[in-house]
Amino acid sequence: MNELFPGLAQEIVSGVALGCIYALIALGFTLIFKATEVVNFAQGELMMVGAYVNFFFITIFLDSLGFGNWPSFILALIASIGFSVLFGVFLDFAINKPLKDEPVFSMIMATISVAIILRAVVALIAGPITLVPPSPFGNSVIRLGSVAISTLDLFIILSAVILVSIFYIIFNKTRWGLAMQATAEDPMAAGLMGIPVKKVYRNVWIFATIVATIGGVLLAPRTLLDTNMGFLGLKAFPAAVLGGFGSIPGAIVGGVILGVVETISMGTLSFHFHWIKEINDVIVWIVLILVLMIRPVGILGKEEVERV
Amino acid sequence: MKKTALFIIFAAFIWTGCEKPSPGVSDSEIVIGNIQDLSGPMKELGMVVPHGSNLYFNYINENGGVHGRKIKMLIEDHQYNPQKSVAAAKKLIDQSQVFCLYNVIGTSPVEAIRPILDEYQIPLIAPATQSGSMSDRTRKAWKMIFHTDTGYDKQARILVEYALGENPDAKIGVIYQDDDYGENVLKGIGEAEKKHGIEIQREGFQRGATDFSGQVMNLLKGGCTHVIIGGVVKEPIIVMKTAAAMNFAPQFLGISPTMDHRVAIAAGPAGEGFIAANFAQLWNSDVEGAVLYRELFAKSGSPEQLMGMYNFYGFITAMVMVEGLERAGKNLTRKNLIRGMENIKNWNGMGVFPSISYGPRDRAGSESVVLVQAKEGKQKLISEWMD
C-alpha cells in the first residue's frame, strides 16, 4: 500500500493536468452548444490555429524584435487573442449566418468541413514539420513530497479553472448570459423580446475561438506543434458528454475524470493487471457508457422535462 | 547450311523479341513510382523525403543518367492508408506504366501492396520503413522487395545488448507504439530476452498519445535503469520530460525514428545523454556521401528547413536505387533489376551505410546500427557500426 500511494498520487496529479487540457477544449464545445445548440466539431482545429498563430507572433517578438521570454509570451498571447476575435467574427459570418435557420445537420457538417479545411490550410502555410514552440515556462518543475508537477501543467490547471469560472459567471449571473440562454431556448422569442440574437451568436463564436486559442497556446509546448493537434478535440468530446453537454462546470468535471481514468489505467492498473494494457484505448469509452447508463444527461447535465 | 543460318537468325529474332522491354523504360528515360503520405498523419515526411531522392536523381541525370537514361520519379499520395496505397500502386503500374516502385512509405501500406507486387512481378526498392517484416522470406512477394534499413527488431536487440554491455545487471524497460512498428520492436525484445535470459518490462501507448505519465510511473516502479523508446519525435521528448519531472533518470535509448535533432533540442536538460540508433551515418557527418549531399543541397537552393535526416534518407535510398539500376545493365528489365540488386555485395554507398549485401535469398540490406548521443543539444556519434 505504501508503495502504491506515491505512484497513484502522481498519476492523479498528471491526470488532472491532462483532464484540464480536455476541459479547455470541452469548454469551447459547451459555449457554442449552449447558445446555438450546435456541436462545433472544428473546436480542436480552432485550438490548433490559435497555437500556430501564437507561434508566429512569438517568433516575431522573440527573434525579430528581440524581446525577452515573458514579454514576448504575453505580447504574443494578446496578439493571438486579437486574432481570435477577428477569426470568431469571420466564422460566425461564414458558418453561422448562412446556416442558422437550416437543419442542425447542415451546420454540423459545415463545422466538420471547416476542421478539414483548417488542417489543410495550416499545413500549406506553416509546412508539415512538427514545430517546437518556445515557452517561458521552460522545464521547471514543482515538487510536493514525491509528487511532481511541471509549472506548465500548473498553469494549464489554473487557466482551465479560471476560464470555466469566468464563463460560469457570465452565463449564470449576467444579463448577457441570460440573453445567451434565452437565444438557445428559442431564438425567435428571444429576438421578439429585444435580445440582439445576431450579436449573441457572434459573441459566442468569438468566446469559443478565444478559449480555443488560450488552450492551444498552453498546450503547444506540451504536445509540440503540428496540424494533427486538433485530433485532441475527439478526446475532449466524450469529456464534454460525460460532464453533461451544455454544462460549463461539466466540461472540467468530465475532462478531469477522463484524464485521471486514462492515466491510472495506463499506470497503476496496467502495472498490476497486465490485461488492462490490452483494453487501454477503450477504457475511456467504457467509463463514458457506464456513467451515461446511470445518468443519461451526463454528470452535471440538466434533465429537461418537456411539458405539453 | 543456309537453312541453319536462317533458323539461327529467326531464333535469335524470337529470343530478343521475348525479352520485351519492361514498361517505363525508353532509350532516354526510366520512370519509377513512389508512394508517399502527402496529406495524412505522416505528411511531414511526404514532402521532405522525396525532395532528398530527387536531389540525388537530378545529380545522376545531370551527369548523363544511368546507362544514358534519365530517372524520372512519379509520386502518388496514400495518406498512410493501406487501401489507398493499393489504389496508388495500381495507378502507377497500370496508368503511369512505371518501371518499378521505390521508397513507398510505411509498414502497413507496403504490406498491403504485396499482392500487387506479386501479380505484376514488379520490384520495390528501399521501402521507407525499418520494419524487419520487409525482408521476411515467409511473406508474399518477398523476392520483389529489397529492404535497405536495419529492422526495428534488430535495432531493439542491439540496444538491449548495448545496455547489458554497460551494466550486466541492467533492468531494461521498453515503451512502444501499439501498432506494426511496436510489434516489430517487441519481436526484437522477445528475441533478446530469450538470448540473454532476462525479462524486459513492456509499456505500450496509442499512436498520437500526448501523455505518458502512467507508463513512465510504471517504469519507475519497475526500477528500470535503461528505457528503450519506440516512438517518433514527440514521444521521446514527452517521455523524457515526464521522467525528469518525476526525478526518474534511467539511460534512455531510442529506435531509429527517434534519431531526430529536434528531440535533443526540445527535451532540453531532460534529453541530455539520450542515445538513438541509426542505420546510416548522419547527414552532417564527414563521410563522402554526406558531404556530397550537403554540397548538392546548397547548390539546389532549397529551403533550409528541409535539410536534415529525413531529407538525407531520401537521398541515400536514391543511391541504392541508382546502384541497382547501374548493375542491371543496359538491357533494363524488371528481372535484370532484381539480378542487379542481388549483385550488390559489400557496398556502402560512399561510406553512408555499413556494408550492404543482397543475394538470391537475402533481401535485408543494412543489419547494423551506429549510436548517436545528444550532448548539449547536439547529436554526437558515439559508436562504430554495431550488429
Side-chain angles (χ1 to χ4, degrees):
Chain A
M1 188 64 206
N2 278 343
E3 252 180 45
L4 187 69
F5 180 71
L8 211 53
Q10 177 66 58
E11 280 159 23
I12 290 171
V13 169
S14 303
V16 169
L18 179 66
C20 283
I21 291 169
Y22 295 156
L24 283 173
I25 311 173
L27 179 62
F29 279 125
T30 303
L31 285 177
I32 290 185
F33 181 77
K34 254 184 114 69
T36 63
E37 301 247 295
V38 163
V39 180
N40 172 26
F41 279 103
Q43 196 62 34
E45 275 68 24
L46 295 186
M47 179 185 78
M48 183 260 299
V49 170
Y52 268 97
V53 168
N54 186 65
F55 181 82
F56 168 74
F57 282 124
I58 218 166
T59 35
I60 287 185
F61 290 126
L62 206 60
D63 296 343
S64 307
L65 301 178
F67 292 152
N69 249 341
W70 274 103
S72 308
F73 176 75
I74 291 166
L75 285 175
L77 183 64
I78 294 169
S80 315
I81 289 176
F83 167 84
S84 328
V85 173
L86 297 179
F87 196 44
V89 171
F90 169 74
L91 286 176
D92 173 56
F93 176 76
I95 306 179
N96 195 39
K97 271 203 180 135
L99 292 174
K100 68 172 186 298
D101 298 323
E102 305 300 326
V104 176
F105 267 119
S106 320
M107 188 91 129
I108 290 177
M109 276 317 294
T111 66
I112 293 176
S113 315
V114 166
I116 296 167
I117 293 169
L118 285 180
R119 269 205 299 281
V121 169
V122 171
L124 209 65
I125 298 173
I129 295 173
T130 304
L131 300 169
V132 181
S135 157
F137 304 103
N139 295 308
S140 57
V141 170
I142 293 165
R143 286 206 172 79
L144 294 165
S146 62
V147 176
I149 181 166
S150 69
T151 322
L152 177 65
D153 279 356
L154 205 62
F155 240 83
I156 290 175
I157 296 175
L158 276 177
S159 315
V161 172
I162 291 173
L163 283 174
V164 165
S165 313
I166 289 177
F167 283 107
Y168 182 77
I169 292 169
I170 290 181
F171 261 85
N172 291 298
K173 312 279 180 208
T174 67
R175 284 168 64 88
W176 261 106
L178 206 62
M180 285 178 187
Q181 285 184 35
T183 310
E185 195 72 31
D186 189 342
M188 195 189 255
L192 290 173
M193 302 307 281
I195 292 173
V197 175
K198 281 184 188 163
K199 237 184 190 171
V200 167
Y201 282 145
R202 198 187 58 209
N203 286 359
V204 160
W205 277 90
I206 292 175
F207 285 154
T209 324
I210 292 177
V211 168
T213 298
I214 294 175
V217 168
L218 290 171
L219 200 56
R222 199 180 197 268
T223 64
L224 308 191
L225 201 49
D226 69 33
T227 46
N228 294 335
M229 194 178 173
F231 288 125
L232 264 182
L234 296 180
K235 280 205 153 167
F237 187 65
V241 174
L242 183 70
F245 217 89
S247 155
I248 291 178
I252 208 164
V253 170
V256 166
I257 291 178
L258 283 197
V260 171
V261 166
E262 204 179 315
T263 333
I264 293 184
S265 80
M266 289 278 191
T268 302
L269 283 180
S270 293
F271 192 71
H272 293 283
F273 310 98
H274 284 275
W275 55 269
I276 296 263
K277 270 182 204 167
E278 311 296 324
I279 58 158
N280 255 328
D281 41 346
V282 291
I283 247 175
V284 163
W285 301 96
I286 294 175
V287 172
L288 181 65
I289 288 178
L290 285 180
V291 171
L292 290 185
M293 278 165 71
I294 302 163
R295 265 192 75 82
V297 287
I299 295 172
L300 296 182
K302 271 202 194 106
E303 259 174 272
E304 275 182 29
V305 185
E306 290 211 3
R307 294 209 174 94
V308 184
Chain B
M1 187 64 197
K2 215 176 170 187
K3 263 188 183 171
T4 334
L6 259 177
F7 177 72
I8 290 173
I9 291 170
F10 186 59
F13 190 72
I14 290 191
W15 183 76
T16 46
C18 281
E19 189 94 324
K20 60 173 185 213
S22 291
V25 180
S26 68
D27 287 343
S28 59
E29 202 176 57
I30 307 164
V31 184
I32 62 174
N34 189 344
I35 311 175
Q36 293 281 328
D37 177 1
L38 304 177
S39 56
M42 299 284 278
K43 60 177 180 282
E44 169 165 354
L45 307 183
M47 198 172 103
V48 183
V49 175
H51 172 272
S53 307
N54 272 329
L55 216 52
Y56 190 70
F57 291 144
N58 290 342
Y59 164 71
I60 293 295
N61 291 346
E62 277 161 23
N63 287 291
V66 182
H67 299 298
R69 298 185 180 103
K70 302 211 154 135
I71 301 167
K72 184 178 163 196
M73 178 170 73
L74 304 179
I75 306 173
E76 282 293 324
D77 181 14
H78 66 20
Q79 302 180 323
Y80 216 85
N81 177 334
Q83 278 124 31
K84 288 190 178 155
S85 161
V86 170
K90 282 207 162 151
K91 188 176 168 203
L92 282 169
I93 298 169
D94 286 336
Q95 283 181 29
S96 313
Q97 296 273 308
V98 296
F99 169 61
C100 68
L101 294 176
Y102 154 75
N103 216 213
V104 176
I105 198 166
T107 309
S108 316
V110 173
E111 289 297 337
I113 61 168
R114 276 181 190 272
I116 298 178
L117 301 179
D118 192 48
E119 185 188 337
Y120 291 86
Q121 290 292 302
I122 184 170
L124 163 59
I125 311 299
T129 155
Q130 283 94 53
S131 173
S133 62
M134 290 298 119
S135 54
D136 182 350
R137 289 205 310 274
T138 61
R139 299 190 186 217
K140 203 169 193 161
W142 67 267
K143 274 196 156 175
M144 296 296 130
I145 302 177
F146 287 85
H147 191 211
T148 306
D149 317 346
T150 313
Y152 300 127
D153 47 351
K154 288 187 193 114
Q155 295 187 26
R157 178 183 51 74
I158 296 171
L159 287 176
V160 170
E161 282 165 3
Y162 172 81
L164 292 174
E166 259 199 341
N167 172 7
D169 300 321
K171 173 83 184 81
I172 303 169
V174 59
I175 175 159
Y176 63 93
Q177 193 160 295
D178 213 349
D179 59 3
D180 289 344
Y181 168 20
E183 195 186 320
N184 199 238
V185 169
L186 289 186
K187 182 172 170 250
I189 292 288
E191 286 164 8
E193 280 180 325
K194 245 188 227 159
K195 190 172 163 194
H196 298 282
I198 51 170
E199 201 180 314
I200 295 172
Q201 186 179 339
R202 295 164 166 77
E203 299 293 334
F205 63 86
Q206 281 170 266
R207 192 192 293 177
T210 54
D211 191 276
F212 304 89
S213 323
Q215 293 92 328
V216 172
M217 195 70 223
N218 286 352
L219 293 164
L220 170 65
K221 280 188 266 185
C224 291
T225 56
H226 292 75
V227 173
I228 297 173
I229 307 176
V232 189
V233 176
K234 276 185 197 178
E235 299 81 10
I237 297 173
I238 305 175
V239 164
M240 290 192 289
K241 278 188 167 182
T242 309
M246 294 177 187
N247 260 346
F248 173 44
Q251 172 64 56
F252 284 108
L253 305 153
I255 306 284
S256 54
T258 64
M259 213 247 15
D260 188 304
H261 67 285
R262 286 169 296 167
V263 172
I265 297 170
E272 186 68 14
F274 173 61
I275 295 174
N278 201 30
F279 48 86
Q281 295 287 357
L282 297 187
W283 64 276
N284 52 6
S285 64
D286 295 330
V287 297
E288 202 191 331
V291 173
L292 175 68
Y293 163 71
R294 293 196 299 272
E295 234 171 66
L296 294 177
F297 191 99
K299 234 198 275 171
S300 73
S302 311
E304 194 74 15
Q305 76 211 46
L306 290 177
M307 196 177 211
M309 63 175 284
Y310 296 118
N311 196 239
F312 186 54
Y313 179 66
F315 188 84
I316 62 178
T317 51
M319 285 165 53
V320 178
M321 181 74 240
V322 170
E323 188 64 21
L325 290 172
E326 289 276 2
R327 290 178 191 234
K330 183 110 184 91
N331 178 23
L332 190 57
T333 60
R334 286 173 180 166
K335 273 193 182 141
N336 281 347
L337 175 63
I338 291 174
R339 260 177 242 142
M341 288 298 298
E342 284 173 351
N343 276 336
I344 295 180
K345 301 271 184 246
N346 300 321
W347 173 83
N348 72 1
M350 292 188 254
V352 170
F353 294 110
S355 165
I356 288 184
S357 300
Y358 295 106
R361 293 187 63 74
D362 179 7
R363 291 294 186 260
S366 168
E367 304 193 55
S368 323
V369 295
V370 283
L371 298 184
V372 178
Q373 187 166 34
K375 284 180 181 158
E376 286 158 5
K378 290 223 166 74
Q379 293 179 311
K380 292 226 168 83
L381 195 69
I382 57 158
S383 81
E384 301 282 311
W385 290 108
M386 303 169 65
D387 50 22

